[in-house]
Amino acid sequence: MKEESLWYIFINASLINNFVLAYFLGICPFLGVSGKMETATKMGGAVTFVMIISSICAFGIHALLVAINAPFLQLISYIVVIASTVQLVEMFIKKMSPTLFRALGIFLPLITTNCAILGLALFQTNKGYGFIESLVYALGAGAGFTLALVLIAGLREQLDFAEVPNVVKGTALTLLVAGILSLSFMGFAGLGS
Amino acid sequence: MSNHSENKNSTGFFESLKEHPSTDEFIKGLWRDNPVFVQVLGMCPVLAVSNTAENALAMGLATAFVLLMSNILVSSLRNFIPKQVRIASYILIIATFVTITDYVIQAISVDLHKSLGAFISLIVVNCLILSRAEAFASKNTIGKSILDALGMGLGFTFALFCLGAVRELFGNGSLFGLSLFSDNFQEWIVMILPAGGFFTLAIWLLIFNAAKERKLKT
């Protein structure tokens, strides 16, 4: 593994290889809850939190699975950990802010099936990151996810006032906007090299 | 339609096929309720591995296989799984089959496994599979679940192929690795980049929407 500075890992995960716009991970919530700025921010926060917890757990599990020589259990144990973390966050949000709980609706339990989180766990294992590196990677990925979500929410809020032909309304429009956003994020590709 | 199933021995399995217009369960996934173009489910792999027709087809078939197997198991266990832990059990079932698929693909073709990368493992979190388990297989007989899985799986593969073919055609000037244009063809690099995935899918959705609009008007 080549030596990477922590700062580079962060920038790489959040901007250069943005999870949503370059890896297409976490598209479902990206299309689903990106209608309003406020929900988008909080969704981003919740996802980032789950990412950090599951990244730590994934690091531990990977070490354990290597020790007992059972790599085929990797996927199953990762997904179980993620599912329980999401359950925890769900209970927490329900208790602390019922309004937010209602606003996020079905997309909260669906964080379990958010590919960004499982993807993060798999990528950090593939890249052979250490503990601190994994943590920074999770933080960067979460920041990148939130950034993309907030950006698209802002754009969609503005687009509500625009006159759009009926055919384009809905998902197709969001995808077109996301495409343009993805193009502009390619500008970051030169960073850090 | 029932002609076909009457020829078989009428065990309980085929009985259930006859009761219902079962071909409909199959057809609906292909077109009317197409998982990608109509329900917009399972977007992540659709966008990520549709840069060539071959990748798209392999991914579609892998997903269809997992969908079929998990639908069979979920539907046969539907009376035993307690309601409170059903989602967790479905995910475990799905994860098991994905692990199998992952190892099988690795055994068949290392190159393919490399180019699909982590996205094979990510079939676990494909919302399409979980949503079929929850919305269909947990409430219906095995026979119907198989038809549903086949329809949805093929519909998904079809959609992925639509995207992959278009992106490869414009991005590489080829189809399944065969060059189609003369050497003068200028590749549209943007089509194989991530942005191209978003654009192509948006355009397919537009075509589907336009077709729907037109049908409503007439």
Side-chain angles (χ1 to χ4, degrees):
Chain A
M1 165 204 150
K2 87 172 190 289
E3 216 44 61
E4 295 171 14
S5 72
L6 292 179
W7 180 239
Y8 176 73
I9 293 177
F10 183 80
I11 293 290
N12 184 29
S14 59
L15 294 179
I16 304 174
N17 283 318
N18 185 289
F19 265 52
V20 178
L21 298 169
Y23 284 155
F24 303 113
L25 296 170
I27 299 284
C28 303
F30 180 66
L31 297 175
V33 290
S34 65
K36 278 210 190 81
M37 198 75 148
E38 210 193 328
T39 9
T41 326
K42 287 174 178 159
M43 182 71 182
V47 169
T48 311
F49 179 75
V50 178
M51 270 182 175
I52 291 173
I53 304 271
S54 44
S55 160
I56 296 172
C57 297
F59 180 76
I61 291 172
H62 181 62
L64 185 74
L65 288 182
V66 168
I68 61 170
N69 200 10
F72 50 86
L73 283 178
Q74 187 188 47
L75 203 55
I76 297 179
S77 29
Y78 279 4
I79 198 76
V80 170
V81 167
I82 292 170
S84 28
T85 320
V86 170
Q87 195 77 53
L88 196 77
V89 174
E90 197 181 341
M91 289 189 315
F92 184 74
I93 291 183
K94 199 175 184 180
K95 184 97 179 146
M96 300 307 279
S97 159
T99 2
L100 177 60
F101 185 73
R102 272 196 301 276
L104 291 177
I106 180 71
F107 286 100
L108 196 56
L110 279 184
I111 296 182
T112 313
T113 49
N114 185 335
C115 4
I117 291 167
L118 186 65
L120 174 92
L122 291 169
F123 285 150
Q124 80 175 44
T125 315
N126 286 347
K127 291 188 177 186
Y129 281 160
F131 182 70
I132 303 289
E133 283 158 330
S134 304
L135 210 58
V136 174
Y137 192 55
L139 214 59
F145 182 79
T146 316
L147 179 69
L149 210 61
V150 167
L151 276 177
I152 206 112
L155 286 167
R156 275 181 72 178
E157 274 187 357
Q158 297 296 318
L159 276 174
D160 280 347
F161 302 110
E163 284 219 11
V164 184
N166 258 341
V167 208
V168 196
K169 269 185 189 155
T171 324
L173 184 63
T174 317
L175 281 170
L176 282 175
V177 174
I180 297 169
L181 210 58
S182 163
L183 270 184
S184 58
F185 262 66
M186 275 169 47
F188 290 117
L191 269 181
S193 60
Chain B
M1 156 246 116
S2 54
N3 256 348
H4 186 67
S5 48
E6 263 165 13
N7 294 337
K8 309 255 167 85
N9 280 337
S10 316
T11 51
F13 175 80
F14 287 106
E15 205 70 68
S16 72
L17 288 190
K18 253 188 279 176
E19 278 170 15
H20 202 79
S22 54
T23 38
D24 187 56
E25 306 291 358
F26 179 65
I27 301 289
K28 74 172 194 284
L30 286 180
W31 191 253
R32 184 160 41 81
D33 280 337
N34 188 289
V36 176
F37 293 137
V38 180
Q39 303 185 60
V40 202
L41 283 175
M43 285 295 107
C44 314
V46 170
L47 291 165
V49 291
S50 63
N51 46 2
T52 68
E54 194 191 343
N55 282 357
L57 214 55
M59 187 66 192
L61 290 178
T63 311
F65 169 75
V66 176
L67 181 61
L68 178 64
M69 297 312 282
S70 62
N71 250 13
I72 292 175
L73 202 58
V74 165
S75 141
S76 49
L77 292 176
R78 69 185 185 281
N79 296 325
F80 300 101
I81 298 176
K83 226 177 159 35
Q84 295 85 353
V85 293
R86 66 185 195 287
I87 301 285
S89 338
Y90 299 161
I91 288 194
L92 277 184
I93 291 173
I94 296 168
T96 313
F97 286 117
V98 171
T99 310
I100 295 173
T101 317
D102 190 20
Y103 279 80
V104 168
I105 291 182
Q106 205 168 2
I108 294 174
S109 159
V110 180
D111 285 341
L112 188 62
H113 189 263
K114 252 191 206 140
S115 66
L116 293 180
F119 283 96
I120 305 171
S121 312
L122 287 175
I123 297 178
V124 180
V125 285
N126 191 325
C127 346
L128 168 65
I129 298 176
L130 192 62
S131 89
R132 285 338 282 173
E134 164 75 4
F136 198 90
S138 61
K139 301 186 185 85
N140 287 287
T141 52
I142 301 179
K144 271 197 225 168
S145 302
I146 291 176
L147 284 174
D148 177 72
L150 282 177
M152 287 288 166
L154 286 181
F156 186 75
T157 314
F158 165 70
L160 258 168
F161 177 72
C162 285
L163 249 91
V166 169
R167 285 180 73 186
E168 192 183 347
L169 190 64
F170 290 114
N172 275 336
S174 59
L175 205 60
F176 288 107
L178 290 171
S179 202
L180 290 183
F181 302 113
S182 71
D183 293 340
N184 295 326
F185 179 71
Q186 184 69 46
E187 292 99 349
W188 305 11
I189 301 292
V190 70
M191 293 304 265
I192 31 177
L193 291 174
F198 284 116
F199 288 136
T200 318
L201 182 59
I203 289 163
W204 276 112
L205 282 178
L206 282 185
I207 295 173
F208 255 70
N209 280 352
K212 238 191 296 177
E213 274 291 275
R214 234 170 129 189
K215 215 174 165 190
L216 280 180
K217 265 181 200 154
T218 51

